[in-house]
Amino acid sequence: MFLRWGLRFTKRSQLHNSSVFLFCKQTFKRQSRWLHLTREFRYALAKLTPQEVDTVLTCNEFSYEFTNGTSVKSYDSNQLASNHPIEDTRSEASCVQTPGVLMGIFDGHGGSSCAQVISKRLYHYIALCLLSQRELQNYVASYETKQPLDLIQPYNDKVQFVEDVRDIYFNSFRNFTLDLSKEDGRDNVDVRSALERAFLRLDSDLSKEALPNKYFGVNMKTLSVAMSGAVSCVAHIEGPNLHIAHLGDCNAVLGVLSESHAWIANKLTKEHNTFNPDEVHRIMNEHPQNESSTIIKMERLLGQLAPLRAFGDFRYKWSKQILRDVVIKHFGETSIPPNYYTPPYLTAKPEIIYHRLTPCDKFLVIASDGLWDLISPVQVIRYVGEHMSGKVTLSPLKLPRKNMKLGEINEMLLQRKEGLKMKPKDRNAATHLIRNALGGTEYGIDHGKLSQLLTLPNDVSRLFRDDITVTVIYFDSEYLRHCPS
């Protein structure tokens, strides 16, 4: 179904360089690989029971409800590994010293280390950049008491740094704090500028921490982080104000309910890859004309890297001299990409998108490309919209307030009756999306297909699907309805 939809849409719109064409191409490749698996191999895979499938799909799910009366009502998240270990990471937190919540997906490549480090550190950098001059001075003063104020309140945070790199990261953050405290004119903090500065400064710190200095030699832990990479998509939500900062091919899509009660997918982000003509034009303009035939080859940066913006990946950012002096002795001659003349070729500067939320904006889906490779934004929004309608039937009926009129109760019962038609198997919307992405057909969930995709060996699984990480953020329509315009 997904492939047929993609081909019809592309033929109709002729968007051969768009993300729709990329979705069709990726889906075609994965569908073809599945069809060419021998029947014997497919039957040789262990057949999971429905209960075992549920155990696999739900083991990493997480849900959280906010009770502080803001525009964000709750969120669901989940992830399913294909690589071993998984290279995706997710992170969610509330800012403590300033209003707003941060929700993000981080998709690593060349290993999981860069994505994990970014997901743990980036929100602290963003929260620091959001502080006004007075708030920043208070934060600097807290360093003197050796009890720094909390900048963020993370949720579902299970990763801890080992002691030696923790000290390195602490010193980098302290230096950034002191640098900011010396600046003037921070009374009116701009969220867009704060997000961009935090991304770029963290990437710069990753570089500094990986290179040797006059006191210490190479730290292989920080060098390994710098040599791997990660793309990301981060949402900062403060009241009706939604900012998205993204690098690479993770995406954010708004689920909008129209006046006719139809679901609309408002795709806020655009992938930073070779199928994005604006990105290709930007990179070409940053390098000499005589490199125009070598910068993009085989739909990749220098014929190697798929995303055109990313954290880390300093083999595409450092000078050739640094690569020769520092990197080659640890990672070999192939560390220097072919046709490497005028670095940097890669940037960690995020693209910032602003959207003012309205009562029609019901939820936001942020996901790694593992989801978007399998189902389209339109399908994602429809699945979550149907999940919202059906989810109410998973709990006993409760009246939201006393003294309701019979007409209001009757309306609730009618809505519940309609919801029973779409009653989902999963309470968590992110799990619901992963289940449908892997096993969905025109006639519902195909358990056999789902079971087979979940039991593929590690060295085969990556041919059919990537790591999948999803966060679904629900908005409070009543709060947004009463926000001043």
Side-chain angles (χ1 to χ4, degrees):
M1 178 180 71
F2 308 142
L3 181 58
R4 289 201 296 272
W5 175 88
L7 292 177
R8 286 202 303 269
F9 188 96
T10 306
K11 185 175 180 180
R12 191 164 58 238
S13 61
Q14 297 297 308
L15 297 177
H16 293 290
N17 288 321
S18 69
S19 58
V20 173
F21 177 68
L22 179 60
F23 163 72
C24 298
K25 181 176 180 179
Q26 291 167 330
T27 304
F28 179 77
K29 287 181 179 178
R30 296 183 190 275
Q31 294 281 0
S32 298
R33 291 169 184 156
W34 178 257
L35 292 173
H36 282 86
L37 270 182
T38 66
R39 180 175 298 181
E40 291 77 11
F41 179 76
R42 279 190 266 177
Y43 280 120
L45 298 174
K47 186 71 175 289
L48 300 179
T49 66
Q51 292 75 23
E52 289 171 332
V53 166
D54 292 346
T55 299
V56 173
L57 291 180
T58 61
C59 66
N60 291 316
E61 68 178 13
F62 182 80
S63 297
Y64 187 86
E65 291 191 12
F66 293 85
T67 58
N68 52 355
T70 65
S71 58
V72 179
K73 185 163 55 176
S74 63
Y75 76 88
D76 293 336
S77 69
N78 199 356
Q79 57 183 172
L80 180 70
S82 178
N83 295 292
H84 184 74
I86 187 171
E87 294 182 344
D88 284 5
T89 310
R90 67 196 186 205
S91 181
E92 307 86 35
S94 289
C95 297
V96 175
Q97 306 300 324
T98 57
V101 296
L102 292 161
M103 306 271 181
I105 300 290
F106 308 87
D107 185 353
H109 47 266
S112 61
S113 59
C114 187
Q116 290 179 348
V117 168
I118 294 297
S119 69
K120 285 283 292 183
R121 301 177 65 186
L122 180 60
Y123 292 175
H124 292 275
Y125 279 66
I126 293 174
L128 186 69
C129 290
L130 289 170
L131 297 179
S132 66
Q133 188 68 29
R134 179 180 58 81
E135 293 166 335
L136 187 59
Q137 294 300 331
N138 291 338
Y139 185 71
V140 172
S142 73
Y143 267 113
E144 298 175 1
T145 64
K146 300 188 184 301
Q147 292 181 327
L149 298 171
D150 289 332
L151 290 177
I152 64 170
Q153 176 190 343
Y155 306 101
N156 194 31
D157 185 7
K158 301 176 182 178
V159 178
Q160 297 296 326
F161 293 131
V162 295
E163 186 174 354
D164 56 342
V165 296
R166 186 170 65 240
D167 292 341
I168 294 172
Y169 296 158
F170 177 83
N171 289 332
S172 294
F173 189 72
R174 180 179 59 188
N175 291 336
F176 184 34
T177 302
L178 296 176
D179 290 344
L180 281 179
S181 67
K182 298 172 184 176
E183 296 180 357
D184 297 324
R186 295 187 52 82
D187 294 331
N188 297 311
V189 178
D190 174 47
V191 176
R192 178 184 295 269
S193 300
L195 289 169
E196 181 177 310
R197 183 162 192 179
F199 272 62
L200 291 173
R201 177 59 184 244
L202 178 53
D203 196 59
S204 174
D205 283 350
L206 291 178
S207 173
K208 293 176 183 177
E209 293 156 1
L211 296 175
N213 56 45
K214 61 182 180 180
Y215 302 108
F216 302 101
V218 172
N219 184 315
M220 285 306 299
K221 292 176 183 176
T222 56
L223 181 59
S224 296
V225 171
M227 290 299 289
S228 66
V231 297
S232 68
C233 185
V234 173
H236 177 271
I237 310 163
E238 178 188 346
N241 301 305
L242 168 64
H243 287 84
I244 302 289
H246 88 112
L247 303 167
D249 51 13
C250 296
N251 277 308
V253 182
L254 266 176
V256 183
L257 190 61
S258 70
E259 294 181 359
S260 62
H261 297 282
W263 285 108
I264 300 171
N266 180 6
K267 189 167 180 287
L268 300 177
T269 53
K270 187 182 293 186
E271 296 88 345
H272 299 131
N273 55 32
T274 58
F275 294 93
N276 182 337
D278 293 335
E279 274 298 286
V280 173
H281 181 71
R282 175 187 65 80
I283 290 179
M284 292 298 183
N285 283 344
E286 292 175 354
H287 299 275
Q289 181 67 29
N290 59 6
E291 292 188 65
S292 60
S293 63
T294 59
I295 293 177
I296 305 295
K297 297 188 71 174
M298 297 179 292
E299 300 173 355
R300 291 172 176 264
L301 181 67
L302 298 177
Q304 296 184 341
L305 189 67
L308 302 183
R309 302 193 195 195
F311 283 110
D313 284 317
F314 285 99
R315 61 183 299 196
Y316 305 101
K317 297 174 182 176
W318 282 332
S319 69
K320 186 176 285 190
Q321 190 65 45
I322 291 177
L323 294 179
R324 285 173 177 157
D325 294 346
V326 178
V327 178
I328 285 180
K329 65 181 67 174
H330 300 288
F331 292 89
E333 293 286 342
T334 57
S335 302
I336 302 180
N339 303 302
Y340 197 75
Y341 306 118
T342 56
Y345 291 91
L346 190 67
T347 180
K349 181 178 180 180
E351 184 173 0
I352 312 293
I353 298 96
Y354 172 77
H355 176 83
R356 184 177 175 85
L357 296 169
T358 73
C360 294
D361 299 322
K362 301 301 180 182
F363 56 85
L364 177 72
V365 179
I366 307 175
S368 60
D369 64 334
L371 181 73
W372 308 113
D373 284 352
L374 297 174
I375 49 178
S376 71
V378 172
Q379 291 167 315
V380 165
I381 297 308
R382 178 170 61 81
Y383 283 137
V384 177
E386 292 173 352
H387 185 269
M388 283 182 62
S389 300
K391 185 179 178 180
V392 295
T393 65
L394 296 175
S395 302
L397 177 63
K398 292 183 180 180
L399 298 182
R401 62 182 186 278
K402 297 180 179 180
N403 303 321
M404 289 186 67
K405 297 179 181 179
L406 288 177
E408 295 174 324
I409 296 175
N410 183 61
E411 181 67 25
M412 282 186 61
L413 291 173
L414 290 174
Q415 290 178 357
R416 190 175 181 88
K417 182 179 179 181
E418 286 298 311
L420 284 170
K421 300 176 183 177
M422 297 176 283
K423 184 176 180 178
K425 186 175 181 63
D426 304 293
R427 286 184 174 273
N428 186 297
T431 308
H432 180 72
L433 282 176
I434 295 173
R435 186 186 298 273
N436 279 275
L438 296 181
T441 69
E442 295 181 52
Y443 308 103
I445 300 295
D446 181 341
H447 173 75
K449 177 183 176 184
L450 186 55
S451 174
Q452 288 167 347
L453 282 171
L454 292 177
T455 52
L456 289 171
N458 289 333
D459 55 346
V460 176
S461 175
R462 190 61 180 84
L463 297 173
F464 298 93
R465 64 175 182 86
D466 199 353
D467 299 327
I468 303 175
T469 302
V470 185
T471 299
V472 181
I473 305 156
Y474 293 98
F475 301 119
D476 189 329
S477 298
E478 284 302 310
Y479 178 94
L480 294 173
R481 187 170 287 112
H482 295 95
C483 281
S485 56

